[in-house]
Amino acid sequence: MPIIVNLDVMMAKRKMSLNELSDKVGLTLSNLSILKTGKAKAIRFSTLESICKVLACQPGDIIAYVPEGTKILYP
Amino acid sequence: MKPRTNEVVFSLLHVLSWIFFIGLCIEAGVLIFNFLFTFFNPIASHNIYKGLDLSNIYENQFPHYIGLMGFVVVLAVLKAYIFYLVVQICLKLNLVKPFDCKIAKLIEKLSFEAMAIAVLSFIAHLYTEHFIPDGFEVSDVENYWDDGAAFLMMAAILLVISHVFRRGIALQNENDLTV
C-alpha cells in the first residue's frame, strides 16, 4: 500500500515506548501494534489526534504517501 | 431484539435443529435398511416406511423400484445432511462476532445442498411421471419429493444470505483493522 506509517520513527525520536504511548493515547497495545506494523486498514481522526497530541507532531509525521516502487532509504 | 432474547431464540433453534437432524437420520436409516431388506424379503415392499407400498412395482418392474427407492433414499440422506449443516452453523456461530469465513462457507454449502435437493426432487418427479408405466400406483412415493419448490426457494434465499455474509466478513475485517 502506498500509505506508510512512520509511528516507530516518531516514537524513536520522542524516545517513547509502545507501552507508554498506549497508556497516554488510550489505545490497546494490539491496536497500536496493528498501526505500527502497517496492517491497519483505516485510522480514526480521534486516534490520529491523540497520537499527534502525545507525540507533539503533525499527522504527516506519522503517515506518509510513498508511490509504489519507490525505495525507502532509512538513515 | 434484545441480546438475551436473541440468545434464548438461538438456543431454541439449536435444540430444534438437533431434534430434526436426529429424526431425519433415523428416517434415512430406516429407509436404507428397509430398502436393502426388501431384496431379501419382498413382502417388506408392502410397507417400506409409514405405509409406503411399492409391492406392485417391485414385482413387475424391479429396475424402476430400485430407481424410485434410490431417489427416496438419496433425498432422505440429503435432507438429514442439510440439518447436519444447520447444527454445525448453530455450534460455530458466535452472536457477538457472527461474520466468520467458516459460517459463510457453511451457509453456501447449505444453499448448494438445498439446490441439489430441489433439482433431484424435480428429476424424481419427471421420472415418476414419464418413465413409470401406467397402472402403477406411485402417489405415495411422490410425497417424498413434492417439496422441491420450497427447497429451490430456500436455496435462492440462502445464496443471497451467503453473499451478504461475505460482504459482512469484509466489513468486519475492515472494522477490526481500524484503529
Side-chain angles (χ1 to χ4, degrees), chain B residues 71-122:
Chain B
F71 277 122
V72 170
V73 165
V74 171
L75 281 170
V77 171
L78 284 177
K79 281 173 190 174
Y81 185 62
I82 269 204
F83 273 90
Y84 169 73
L85 292 176
V86 174
V87 166
Q88 287 293 307
I89 289 174
C90 289
L91 280 175
K92 289 178 182 169
L93 189 69
N94 176 4
L95 286 177
V96 181
K97 267 192 169 184
F99 297 110
D100 185 18
C101 276
K102 283 178 195 167
I103 303 289
K105 273 181 192 163
L106 280 173
I107 294 175
E108 209 169 64
K109 221 174 185 181
L110 203 63
S111 150
F112 289 130
E113 210 61 44
M115 181 76 83
I117 291 179
V119 170
L120 210 64
S121 298
F122 183 66

Side-chain angles (χ1 to χ4, degrees), chain A residues 31 35 40-44 47, chain B residues 170 173-179:
Chain A
N31 271 347
L35 184 63
K41 288 202 170 181
I43 180 166
R44 291 190 189 92
T47 309
Chain B
N173 282 342
E174 208 168 284
N175 190 45
D176 287 345
L177 291 173
T178 299
V179 290

